[in-house]
Amino acid sequence: KALLAGAFSSPLMSHGEVSYRAATKDRRLRERELGFTNKSQDAPLPVYKSFFDKNLSTLWKSPAKRAYLKSLGFIDDSGNIIDIIEKRRQFHIVEYEMSLAELMERSKKFDQDWEQHRAAVISRRAEVAEMDLQRIRARRDRWKMKREAASLTKDVHCPQGKQGQPGQPARLSHSTGSLPTSAA
């Protein structure tokens, strides 16, 4: 690579420049080449506007083409061609505002849907809580009825208890589960 770079570069060339042809042997031409400076500056190219090109004016006057351009929004209500390049900023702002409006609408719809969902969940939770309370009440009532039934069977009163005391509950026999017969 060094051999190739040396063959195509001039000793008078500054560091980093690359020449794709061999340096001239004529001293006068070499000095002239190295003394060349281009004083031009970068400038933007003019923007081509096809709608305003004089050579295309007959194309844009065609009724079919005008109808098509109107449907695309390139022709205003008065029939004049709109310069899209100049109106681009306004169109961008309008599109941005429209996207913000759509976003706000979607956000509002989402909020409404969320509130409806939240209300449905809260009402369903209230229903379930009420059902749980009803189950608990029913369970308590069953337990009370069982306790009362058990106490009625245990608290059978006889005129004279086991020891012969009136008002004392009689005790059930452990072996038979029945009341003892009183020996009179």
Side-chain angles (χ1 to χ4, degrees):
K1 288 185 179 181
L3 292 175
L4 289 175
F8 292 109
S9 65
S10 167
L12 298 176
M13 293 182 86
S14 65
H15 212 60
E17 289 185 25
V18 177
S19 175
Y20 295 105
R21 61 180 174 83
T24 182
K25 303 252 193 248
D26 186 4
R27 179 180 167 88
R28 186 179 56 81
L29 288 177
R30 195 170 339 131
E31 286 177 0
R32 186 174 172 200
E33 181 180 333
L34 293 175
F36 177 77
T37 57
N38 187 359
K39 295 180 182 171
S40 67
Q41 296 177 355
D42 288 339
L45 292 173
V47 177
Y48 176 67
K49 300 178 182 180
S50 62
F51 293 136
F52 302 102
D53 189 346
K54 293 177 185 175
N55 299 318
L56 296 176
S57 62
T58 55
L59 173 69
W60 307 130
K61 289 181 183 176
S62 163
K65 187 58 79 173
R66 288 190 79 74
Y68 178 68
L69 290 175
K70 186 161 180 84
S71 71
L72 293 177
F74 290 109
I75 296 181
D76 62 5
D77 294 333
S78 62
N80 298 326
I81 295 178
I82 297 172
D83 187 5
I84 297 300
I85 295 169
E86 291 177 8
K87 300 285 185 174
R88 186 178 293 153
R89 179 174 169 79
Q90 292 174 355
F91 290 144
H92 178 70
I93 291 171
V94 168
E95 287 177 2
Y96 178 72
E97 288 174 353
M98 287 175 61
S99 67
L100 282 180
E102 289 174 359
L103 180 66
M104 293 294 288
E105 187 176 324
R106 281 195 310 257
S107 175
K108 189 183 289 186
K109 174 96 170 88
F110 177 78
D111 290 344
Q112 289 173 349
D113 291 345
W114 176 251
E115 287 299 322
Q116 288 176 350
H117 173 73
R118 191 168 152 243
V121 167
I122 289 172
S123 67
R124 182 64 182 149
R125 284 181 182 167
E127 290 173 12
V128 168
E130 184 61 33
M131 289 170 39
D132 286 344
L133 288 175
Q134 288 175 358
R135 270 190 251 136
I136 291 170
R137 284 186 204 118
R139 209 179 276 163
R140 280 185 190 159
D141 291 342
R142 283 194 309 263
W143 288 341
K144 283 181 183 177
M145 289 172 43
K146 282 183 182 180
R147 270 191 264 142
E148 288 174 5
S151 69
L152 286 177
T153 57
K154 287 182 181 179
D155 294 339
V156 175
H157 293 280
C158 58
Q160 292 182 347
K162 195 172 188 181
Q163 285 84 20
Q165 299 171 354
Q168 289 291 329
R171 299 185 185 226
L172 296 174
S173 169
H174 288 290
S175 59
T176 60
S178 62
L179 289 173
T181 56
S182 61

